[in-house]
Every structure is written in structure tokens, then in C-alpha cells.
Amino acid sequence: MKETTIINIEHVNVIVLVMGSLLSILIMREFKYLFSFAVASSIMTLNFRFLKKIMEAGFLESGSAKRGFLITLPLKFLVLVGLIVVVLVYGEIDIIFFLIGLSTVFISIVINQIAVLFNPEAKRRQKDGA
């Protein structure tokens, strides 16, 4: 059965970023909506990528990397919150499109799991029990 990997989720996340940005500009026809979605989605895409690198460094490496993990993970979240606050305070954004953009990682995970369900190999294994 095809398993979901972080790389698959990252690829789907970039596709959601591009498609969502195109749809927001085509449907709403204002730059404000495109900017709101694209900035939030880009923030979450980069956040997911940095989180992957921090987790790999924290769990796969030994010694000083584990101590660095205890510093970099909270620091990453503080930077994320700070970046979101700066965009909300100083950016001219639409809050609904911004929130939809922030949820693109979740949307990517759902799309990826639906794609796995419709994989013929997965159906064959469910049917045969192997």
C-alpha cells in the first residue's frame, strides 16, 4: 500500500498554494484576496518545511543536536506567531482568505489521504487482506 510521506504532503501543499492563489484571483478579482491567501499559505508551507528539518535534526542526530532541538522548536513557533501578527497588523488582508491560507497544510494532508484511498494498489490490498 502506498504510504503518505512528508515529501508527498509538501508537493500537494505547493499545488494547493498555486491553485488556491489562482482561484482567489480569478474568483474575487482583487489583489487583496490573492495576497491574503498566498501569504498565509506560503507561511504555512515554509513552517511545515522548517518543522520537518527541526524534527529530523532532533530525532535522527545525537548529542548537541538534541539540545538545539529544544531551542529551535520554540524559537520557530515564536517566529511563526510574530510573522502572523506582523502580517495581520500591517498587511491589508482579508481575514477569511488568510485563515483559509493558514489551513493549507491540513487541506494537503486530507487531499493526500484521499488520493491514497483511490490508489488501485490500496484497493487490492483491502480486498485481499494482504
Side-chain angles (χ1 to χ4, degrees):
M1 185 166 121
K2 180 184 174 201
E3 293 185 17
T4 300
T5 63
I6 292 176
I7 295 171
N8 293 344
I9 294 172
E10 286 179 341
H11 290 145
V12 173
N13 201 11
V14 170
I15 292 169
V16 169
L17 166 71
V18 171
M19 294 301 292
S21 298
L22 288 173
L23 284 173
S24 65
I25 196 67
L26 289 174
I27 293 171
M28 301 307 286
R29 303 216 186 255
E30 283 188 43
F31 180 74
K32 174 181 174 179
Y33 300 105
L34 168 68
F35 178 76
S36 301
F37 180 83
V39 166
S41 184
S42 299
I43 288 171
M44 292 313 292
T45 301
L46 291 173
N47 178 48
F48 190 73
R49 180 164 292 211
F50 288 140
L51 184 62
K52 179 184 90 166
K53 290 181 188 243
I54 290 170
M55 291 300 203
E56 285 174 351
F59 290 114
L60 298 179
E61 296 176 12
S62 63
S64 64
K66 290 193 186 251
R67 278 181 256 133
F69 172 75
L70 296 174
I71 295 169
T72 55
L73 190 61
L75 183 63
K76 183 198 73 70
F77 283 113
L78 287 174
V79 169
L80 174 68
V81 169
L83 188 58
I84 290 173
V85 167
V86 166
V87 169
L88 287 174
V89 171
Y90 295 110
E92 186 179 331
I93 62 163
D94 179 69
I95 195 71
I96 301 298
F97 278 78
F98 190 76
L99 290 174
I100 293 169
L102 287 178
S103 65
T104 55
V105 172
F106 174 73
I107 293 167
S108 299
I109 292 170
V110 169
I111 290 171
N112 200 344
Q113 289 303 307
I114 290 171
V116 168
L117 283 175
F118 291 112
N119 185 2
E121 182 181 326
K123 287 182 182 179
R124 193 172 47 241
R125 285 184 187 232
Q126 287 175 352
K127 179 181 168 190
D128 296 335

